[in-house]
Amino acid sequence: MIASKMIERLRKAPVLRRGEIFVLLGIALLWLGAISLRPIVIDNRCLGRPETCQSTMLNALDLRFFNDWDPWANSVSDITQYTSGVIAILIPLLIAAFAALKRRISGRGALLQAGTDFIILLMTTLLNGLITEISRLLVQRPRPFVYGDPAQHGAEFAHYTSFVSGHTSFATTAGVALVCTLAGRRATRPFIALAILNAAIWAISTASFRVAAGRHFVTDTLGGMLVGASVAVIVALWHRTPSTPPKEFHEQPLPRPL
């Protein structure tokens, strides 16, 4: 029942809320503030107390897929992450442009539609980054390669940000946000199914390469998927219940030429 209501709500056209720009700025500043707190909040315990950072202390799942630093896999994970973001930006732009070419909406309507989808994606990305960083400050989990050599890697505060995986959460939130966008634009079921497949491919591949690179544990990537998907859905639902929808977003289709 709850799931069906959520899907029904996501099928409504997204609308920006009043004061959206201030919300975006606020989230961005909070994210930057959280990152700046790393040297103050994080305890780089592996350097002074290496006995607290032994691989034997890991759970069975993380120990099974434990990997040391691999620069090649790390580079590939960057590519998969950025690709998911590029696709999430380009597809809504192409949809708006196609609608304008088919004279379903005017050029102004296409710009408003594309702008709305981009701003919602931007908010999703910023909020995902903020929540990811807060979880890192709270958990302060060493990255896998720190367990391999605490003396060499244990001094850097950024090496205690393993949970959750930022690359994985970003790839997931970008993919799920695209699915929500297509639902709100009344895309066909096959098209939405392809978007779901796209989200799964980039989320899983990014997670796999982050683990292979020794940058994250499996549970870090699972947590990243959960955070990313949750944020995308919550932000999308929030934009489906505007208080006073602007008139521009109810623009009627242009008449077809005779």
Side-chain angles (χ1 to χ4, degrees), residues 44-55 57 146-147 149-151:
N44 52 355
R45 60 189 183 278
C46 295
L47 181 63
R49 306 186 301 278
E51 69 277 2
T52 64
C53 302
Q54 300 298 317
S55 59
M57 303 171 65
V146 176
Y147 285 86
D149 191 348

Side-chain angles (χ1 to χ4, degrees), residues 171-172 175-176 179 193-207 225:
T172 304
V176 176
V179 174
L194 285 176
I196 294 174
L197 178 61
N198 167 79
I201 288 174
W202 297 117
I204 295 173
S205 61
T206 301
M225 289 182 185

Side-chain angles (χ1 to χ4, degrees), residues 140-193:
Q140 300 184 23
R141 188 181 198 185
R143 293 183 183 272
F145 59 80
V146 176
Y147 285 86
D149 191 348
Q152 180 179 353
H153 303 298
E156 292 291 333
F157 296 107
H159 293 172
Y160 295 82
T161 56
S162 192
F163 187 87
V164 294
S165 169
H167 280 63
T168 306
S169 67
F170 176 84
T172 304
T173 208
V176 176
L178 177 59
V179 174
C180 294
T181 297
L182 295 179
R185 297 306 176 191
R186 310 296 292 182
T188 61
R189 288 186 177 181
F191 200 12
I192 293 178

Side-chain angles (χ1 to χ4, degrees), residues 10-192:
L10 288 173
R11 294 288 284 177
K12 296 179 180 180
V15 181
L16 297 181
R17 289 178 174 268
R18 295 182 184 276
E20 191 99 8
I21 185 65
F22 298 106
V23 176
L24 287 172
L25 289 174
I27 296 174
L29 290 174
L30 287 173
W31 186 9
L32 292 174
I35 293 175
S36 67
L37 288 176
R38 287 182 180 181
I40 302 173
V41 176
I42 292 179
D43 175 20
N44 52 355
R45 60 189 183 278
C46 295
L47 181 63
R49 306 186 301 278
E51 69 277 2
T52 64
C53 302
Q54 300 298 317
S55 59
T56 54
M57 303 171 65
L58 299 173
N59 63 69
L61 179 60
D62 288 335
L63 187 59
R64 171 66 179 81
F65 296 97
F66 178 83
N67 289 288
D68 205 349
W69 171 248
D70 185 337
W72 179 84
N74 184 64
S75 298
V76 176
S77 70
D78 288 339
I79 295 173
T80 57
Q81 174 194 223
Y82 295 141
T83 301
S84 66
V86 170
I87 292 174
I89 293 173
L90 285 182
I91 296 300
L93 288 175
L94 292 175
I95 291 175
F98 182 78
L101 288 174
K102 288 292 185 178
R103 296 181 61 81
R104 295 173 183 169
I105 55 177
S106 66
R108 180 171 178 269
L111 288 175
L112 289 170
Q113 176 176 307
T116 297
D117 294 338
F118 177 76
I119 291 174
I120 293 175
L121 176 62
L122 180 60
M123 176 175 286
T124 304
T125 302
L126 291 174
L127 185 58
N128 173 73
L130 174 60
I131 295 176
T132 296
E133 187 61 31
I134 291 175
S135 72
R136 291 173 165 183
L137 293 178
L138 292 175
V139 178
Q140 300 184 23
R141 188 181 198 185
R143 293 183 183 272
F145 59 80
V146 176
Y147 285 86
D149 191 348
Q152 180 179 353
H153 303 298
E156 292 291 333
F157 296 107
H159 293 172
Y160 295 82
T161 56
S162 192
F163 187 87
V164 294
S165 169
H167 280 63
T168 306
S169 67
F170 176 84
T172 304
T173 208
V176 176
L178 177 59
V179 174
C180 294
T181 297
L182 295 179
R185 297 306 176 191
R186 310 296 292 182
T188 61
R189 288 186 177 181
F191 200 12
I192 293 178

